[in-house]
Amino acid sequence: MWIADNWKEYKVLGTSGGEKLEAWGPFKLIRPDPQVIWTEEKKDRGWKRPNAHYHRSDKGGGQWEFFDLPEEWTVQYDLLGSRDEARLTFNLKPFAFKHTGVFPEQAANWDWSYSLIKKRIASGKSVKVLNLFAYTGGATLAAAAAGASVTHVDASKGMVQWAKENAVSSGLKEAPVRWLVDDCRKFVEREIRRGNKYDAIIMDPPSYGRGPDGEVWKIESSIYPFIELTMGVLSDDPLFFLINSYTTGLQPGVLTYMSRLAMGDREGFSVEASELGLRVSGSDYVLPEGAACRVTFK
């Protein structure tokens, strides 16, 4: 399992009864987590006095209950766990379906991609990164901080604006990032026609979604053809390909199989896949939070 161990301003404080108690900076939030199918003693006082609690509805969705939480606040993340590296700053706010604007387990992938990009740039080569379904920009910021030029694509105008705000807060306002509100498939198809290539591709596809013009995305039927499609914009000297998944059916073995098939007759690559996890404070437990597959090239 790849564990996001380098957070200083985020912690999982406890897990019980389908929920997890988290510390996001100075604030404690209770949010549902489908992986938490056990019940254990709720030792942390935050269980009784959280700053906010997201209650899931039996009919689907849910709603926030606020006690003492600002509309927006920030947390910071030092890449590779070191202040000597880049520091990312994320603007957080609770919004629909329990989210805050950051998936903290992804820090394990930020550190990984940051290291690879930084090493290649140190060798005198440039790196172009394509980040698809890019959300609020964690992977974009890590790549830009390492010195890459990044194309950030998401179908949601609000998410792209949020990512821009995170870039400004992280001191990356002038970094070479293209911020695009677009349907990811249509964008890749256009890039293939234009002959544009990227040295690294990152994708974090949703289970279900719609593009700006109502395009429907269903991961079960859409994901493999899309991975194959993106190989058309991978450069002749690629660095890596990374795919994340929160969908139960896309386990590490499935991600590995799809990625290997999509590489076709390419040579000189290795594939690793694993669960992503967050350590639970004060215990030996690690909470699984999805999976990822990493393809690296020699």
Side-chain angles (χ1 to χ4, degrees):
M1 181 181 287
W2 294 320
I3 304 172
D5 261 348
N6 290 326
W7 279 100
K8 297 180 178 67
E9 297 192 1
Y10 171 85
K11 290 181 180 180
V12 178
L13 300 173
T15 60
S16 185
E19 296 180 315
K20 58 188 174 186
L21 173 66
E22 305 163 290
W24 294 85
F27 304 109
K28 294 184 178 182
L29 276 59
I30 299 174
R31 297 192 299 156
D33 192 309
Q35 300 292 339
V36 182
I37 60 175
W38 53 85
T39 300
E40 60 180 333
E41 184 181 357
K42 297 179 177 180
K43 297 180 181 179
D44 193 287
R45 68 182 63 183
W47 285 109
K48 292 183 178 180
R49 299 188 64 181
N51 296 97
H53 189 168
Y54 187 91
H55 299 278
R56 187 181 295 281
S57 170
D58 293 337
K59 299 178 180 179
Q63 62 182 6
W64 284 98
E65 181 182 12
F66 299 109
F67 302 103
D68 184 18
L69 186 72
E71 291 185 3
E72 188 168 329
W73 74 103
T74 63
V75 295
Q76 295 181 320
Y77 181 76
D78 293 333
L79 287 158
L80 304 182
S82 172
R83 189 62 188 95
D84 294 332
E85 302 292 340
R87 171 169 286 183
L88 307 182
T89 299
F90 297 97
N91 299 284
L92 305 182
K93 51 190 172 184
F95 72 108
F97 198 61
K98 78 179 182 179
H99 298 311
T100 63
V102 171
F103 291 102
E105 70 280 356
Q106 289 300 321
N109 283 328
W110 304 338
D111 287 343
W112 174 80
S113 59
Y114 174 82
S115 296
L116 288 177
I117 293 167
K118 196 173 181 183
K119 183 177 180 180
R120 175 169 283 201
I121 288 177
S123 74
K125 296 182 179 180
S126 61
V127 177
K128 290 178 62 180
V129 175
L130 175 59
N131 188 11
L132 300 164
F133 311 100
Y135 194 53
T136 57
T140 292
L141 301 184
S149 59
V150 186
T151 298
H152 174 111
V153 187
D154 197 279
S156 168
K157 183 178 180 180
M159 292 300 105
V160 173
Q161 179 58 39
W162 196 339
K164 287 182 181 179
E165 293 168 4
N166 286 337
V168 172
S169 297
S170 299
L172 295 167
K173 181 180 180 180
E174 303 303 324
V177 180
R178 285 199 299 163
W179 305 100
L180 302 177
V181 179
D182 205 343
D183 175 76
C184 289
R185 171 176 282 279
K186 288 185 176 181
F187 174 77
V188 172
E189 289 172 343
R190 290 197 301 274
E191 290 292 86
I192 291 172
R193 292 195 294 268
R194 294 166 181 149
N196 290 335
K197 302 284 186 177
Y198 297 86
D199 305 303
I201 298 173
I202 300 168
M203 65 171 69
D204 199 350
S207 297
Y208 178 84
R210 289 186 178 273
D213 298 318
E215 302 88 347
V216 176
W217 168 276
K218 292 183 179 179
I219 198 165
E220 295 83 359
S221 58
S222 302
I223 187 58
Y224 181 64
F226 185 67
I227 293 174
E228 284 189 304
L229 181 69
T230 61
M231 294 302 102
V233 295
L234 196 61
S235 74
D236 294 331
D237 185 22
L239 181 59
F240 68 80
F241 168 76
L242 169 66
I243 178 171
N244 293 296
S245 172
Y246 303 99
T247 301
T248 304
L250 299 187
Q251 297 299 321
V254 175
L255 296 175
T256 297
Y257 207 122
M258 290 193 298
S259 297
R260 285 189 181 277
L261 285 175
M263 293 301 127
D265 58 1
R266 289 180 181 270
E267 298 180 352
F269 67 88
S270 61
V271 182
E272 289 183 284
S274 181
E275 289 181 296
L276 295 168
L278 295 165
R279 214 173 285 282
V280 180
S281 296
S283 76
D284 296 326
Y285 301 131
V286 176
L287 182 63
E289 294 286 353
C293 183
R294 301 167 176 174
V295 181
T296 51
F297 300 87
K298 297 179 181 178

